[in-house]
Structures are given as C-alpha cells and as structure tokens.
Amino acid sequence: MIKIILLTLLAPFLLMNMLGCAPLIIGGAAGALGAYAISKDTVQGDTDKSYDSLWDAVLTVSGMRGTIKYEDGLKGYLEVEAESSKVYIRLIRLTHATTRLRIAARKYHFPNLNLAQDIFVKIMEEVK
C-alpha cells in the first residue's frame, strides 16, 4: 500500500524528468522578461531591449566565449564553438519593441544546457 501511494506521488515528477521538461530555469536575468528552457539543449527568453543592442551583445559575448564560425546579422543567426561545444544563437523580432533570444548548445551531439544558460545570462548582462 505504501509503495502505491509513494509511486502515485512521485509519478508526475518522474514523467517530467523523463520528458525533459524544465519549466523555469532562469528567473530573471537583467532585461529579460522571462527565460526558460524549451528543450534539453535550448534556453530562450523575450526581452524589451532593441534588436541592434542585443545583436551587439551577442557578438561581444560570443567573441569572448569562443570562436564565431558563422554570422548573419540580417537573419539574426550565429554559430559559435565554445568549450568543445557548438552553440547556436538566434534572435527573433517579435514586435518592434520585443526580441526573442534563443540559445542552443550541444557538446559531442549531447545537450549542454548549462553552457546555453550561462551564455544567455552573460548576453542579458552585456546588453545596453
């Protein structure tokens, strides 16, 4: 009986863990309206900072953290090699005043969510 009750109470947590859900990873980076993990390797958040200042911050932080392999400012896309990981950064204009920042990081084809979170926070701290 105790095993059934314990299993019933733990089942939602086990399911979330198996599905890879992380509803709230970063509570409030500077300038972010909200940041959250959308997959095992991707963090995204919306900000009220301008697209141009956010792009400049992305270039600055990416250059400090690793080697920029591909950059397209018009599409808002950047590929970086940092800490033996491939990092994919994407800026998406949602409205005139809101921009979405999405960062995915993979190390040897495995998710590297810690690096994605760290770069996200550094970019949000750097943006003016």
Side-chain angles (χ1 to χ4, degrees), residues 59-125:
L59 290 175
T60 301
V61 171
S62 299
M64 289 188 300
R65 293 299 303 259
T67 305
I68 298 173
K69 294 297 182 180
Y70 179 78
E71 161 188 351
D72 188 345
L74 293 176
K75 293 181 180 176
Y77 183 74
L78 191 80
E79 287 182 17
V80 180
E81 282 189 11
E83 301 175 18
S84 301
S85 296
K86 291 190 181 201
V87 180
Y88 307 96
I89 302 173
R90 179 94 168 110
L91 294 179
I92 303 164
R93 291 181 208 217
L94 299 176
T95 66
H96 181 66
T98 306
T99 306
R100 176 170 289 158
L101 173 62
R102 180 180 294 166
I103 302 174
R106 297 189 72 77
K107 184 174 187 175
Y108 307 119
H109 300 287
F110 292 105
N112 191 352
L113 189 59
N114 290 335
L115 180 61
Q117 289 173 345
D118 187 45
I119 292 175
F120 182 91
V121 170
K122 297 289 187 208
I123 289 171
M124 295 314 296
E125 289 174 351

Side-chain angles (χ1 to χ4, degrees), residues 3-15:
K3 288 182 182 180
I4 294 172
I5 294 172
L6 186 60
L7 184 59
T8 305
L9 292 174
L10 291 178
F13 297 109
L14 293 172
L15 285 174

